[in-house]
Amino acid sequence: MDRLSNTVRPYAWGSTTAIPALLGTAPTGEPQAEMWMGAHPGAPSRIARPTTTTAAAPATATIPAEHPLTDVIAADPEGELGAATVARFGPRLPFLLKLLAAGSPLSLQVHPDLDQARKGYADEEARGIPIDAPHRTYKDANHKPELICALTPFDGLCGFRRPTEAADAMEALGVDSLKPYVDLLRAHPEEAALREVLTAILGADPAEMADAVAEAAAACERLGGAHAPYARIAHNYPGDPGVLAAMLLNYVQLQPGEALFLGAGVPHAYLDGLGVEIMANSDNVLRCGLTPKHIDVPELLRIVRFEATEPGVLRPEASPSGEERYETPVDEFALSRYTLAPGAAPAELTAPTPQILLCTAGTVRVGELDLTPGQSVYVPAAEAVKAAGSGTLFRATVAARTV
């Protein structure tokens, strides 16, 4: 196994304090939004493995050197990932693990399913759109289901609420320019109502919409209560039509240990809090507000699932081994946690799949390595590993049903 050196991404919405507090380091004053653990080409973790010397330098002993995990896996995919994982997902780690620290709302967004991602990526490649172009929608040919597990109280938006509930929330603001949306939400069947209102919000004249958003934000601030989250969103994104789009969604508050699964086509945004996030290894995001970035409205409307849903808050399911699993329908990843106590028998973690183990509390000994909060290790497939100590350990791996 290998201790991971990980990159922290300084996105503007990130908290300046949450990740430093977990790591026990001093804040820099800059946002620290996400710490990536895995083999994503955008910011792969690094590991220090000995490399043997060549005949040209026989006097030199083995030299520990840091290597990107992407390179380590590429050099021996089956040895690192296991034959079954490579056969199912190809020669790459199929998941990405993160610490996510939101200090202000992220963009309102959805992710495509696998078929949509493959077709969208192929289309943009055929049209010669550069992969780093601002108007590029599909960065790869993979889907991006994800799971966020709260380490602190965590706020977010997830899935459409019932159109009548959204209509009530908008009507309570007393903003005349929102009345057409209120009428649409009440006059049509569920799917048509949600589609028509989101289309109207995203297609409206920006200047006129800015005035409506400003009025709505002032009303949310005045009313407070259930409207308070939308006032906070509007404070961070003044004049953004996404503030009104956000009012179509369910507001969710997670307590530590609770999780939220986000499948394809479900609009969502994280608002505040620190959590452990796992996802299929993809960059595909279609934004629908709360961002200065490109919004591909026609493609977005094709991807979004226009149906009211109750946000499914997940709680871990205990097993006799002490592993607490967060059950999802995804093949690329599985997330679980262990709460380890002093003097207890070590937890057996050996698996036929690759693993990333992350400590979030206390001190945990994994093999010969001691982990403190925010530290992590990569374990190749089938490598024997046990964990003991006093603390919390998250385990990210490939879903057992796929191997």
Side-chain angles (χ1 to χ4, degrees):
M1 82 188 66
D2 304 273
R3 188 184 296 274
L4 293 177
S5 296
N6 303 307
T7 298
V8 175
R9 312 304 295 266
Y11 304 135
W13 48 262
S15 167
T16 59
T17 59
I19 288 179
L22 184 72
L23 299 176
T25 59
T28 64
E30 298 296 320
Q32 298 187 38
E34 295 180 349
M35 186 172 77
W36 288 22
M37 292 161 278
H40 192 285
S45 298
R46 301 167 303 283
I47 64 175
R49 282 191 182 177
T51 56
T52 56
T53 59
T54 64
T60 307
T62 59
I63 304 171
E66 277 206 331
H67 308 278
L69 189 54
T70 44
D71 293 353
V72 172
I73 291 172
D76 183 13
E78 290 200 2
E80 299 293 335
L81 306 177
T85 299
V86 173
R88 178 69 176 82
F89 301 107
R92 61 186 183 88
L93 189 68
F95 63 84
L96 175 64
L97 186 68
K98 299 179 181 180
L99 279 173
L100 183 147
S104 60
L106 283 67
S107 63
L108 193 61
Q109 58 189 253
V110 296
H111 306 305
D113 64 26
L114 188 55
D115 183 61
Q116 290 164 341
R118 288 171 174 169
K119 290 178 178 177
Y121 179 79
D123 174 66
E124 291 188 324
E125 286 289 283
R127 289 190 282 141
I129 301 175
I131 200 72
D132 58 352
H135 62 288
R136 174 94 186 210
T137 297
Y138 294 95
K139 307 295 186 182
D140 53 65
N142 200 17
H143 62 166
K144 193 186 176 186
E146 62 189 40
L147 177 80
I148 184 78
C149 178
L151 294 179
T152 66
F154 195 97
D155 295 357
L157 304 173
C158 178
F160 289 111
R161 54 181 167 177
R162 296 186 183 281
T164 53
E165 294 176 4
D168 290 343
M170 285 189 178
E171 188 173 45
L173 301 179
V175 177
D176 289 343
S177 56
L178 300 186
K179 189 176 186 303
Y181 304 144
V182 173
D183 292 342
L184 284 172
L185 289 167
R186 290 203 168 120
H188 292 282
E190 179 179 288
E191 179 179 345
L194 295 170
R195 179 182 292 276
E196 288 189 37
V197 172
L198 184 62
T199 302
I201 289 172
L202 297 180
D205 177 82
E208 292 180 4
M209 185 57 68
D211 291 339
V213 171
E215 289 185 64
C220 286
E221 184 75 31
R222 182 179 67 254
L223 292 171
H227 288 83
Y230 307 102
R232 180 155 46 102
I233 292 169
H235 175 76
N236 285 277
Y237 297 96
D240 192 308
V243 174
L244 300 181
M247 296 190 72
L248 301 175
L249 307 187
N250 296 296
Y251 173 61
V252 185
Q253 292 181 294
L254 300 178
Q255 296 305 310
E258 295 181 333
L260 199 62
F261 173 72
L262 297 157
V266 177
H268 62 277
Y270 301 144
L271 304 181
D272 183 71
L274 176 67
V276 174
E277 185 181 38
I278 190 168
M279 62 190 63
N281 207 349
S282 171
D283 257 349
N284 285 326
V285 174
L286 288 91
R287 295 173 178 86
C288 43
L290 310 183
T291 178
K293 295 183 178 179
H294 174 67
I295 297 177
D296 185 345
V297 175
E299 186 67 5
L300 172 71
L301 296 175
R302 194 177 71 83
I303 297 301
V304 171
R305 290 171 51 192
F306 288 99
E307 59 183 31
T309 58
E310 292 292 331
V313 176
L314 300 177
R315 295 171 181 82
E317 299 183 12
S319 68
S321 67
E323 183 179 23
E324 297 178 303
R325 302 187 184 96
Y326 294 90
E327 298 293 343
T328 72
V330 176
D331 291 339
E332 284 87 347
F333 64 75
L335 185 72
S336 58
R337 70 175 182 179
Y338 290 83
T339 303
L340 303 169
E348 174 60 65
L349 303 180
T350 306
T353 57
Q355 303 180 71
I356 292 177
L357 306 175
L358 166 68
C359 175
T360 60
T363 300
V364 177
R365 189 165 185 81
V366 179
E368 300 301 315
L369 300 176
D370 288 328
L371 303 183
T372 56
Q375 295 183 337
S376 55
V377 296
Y378 162 73
V379 184
E383 182 172 313
V385 60
K386 294 182 179 181
S390 177
T392 303
L393 187 72
F394 278 84
R395 180 193 205 187
T397 188
V398 181
R401 61 180 171 274
T402 67
V403 296

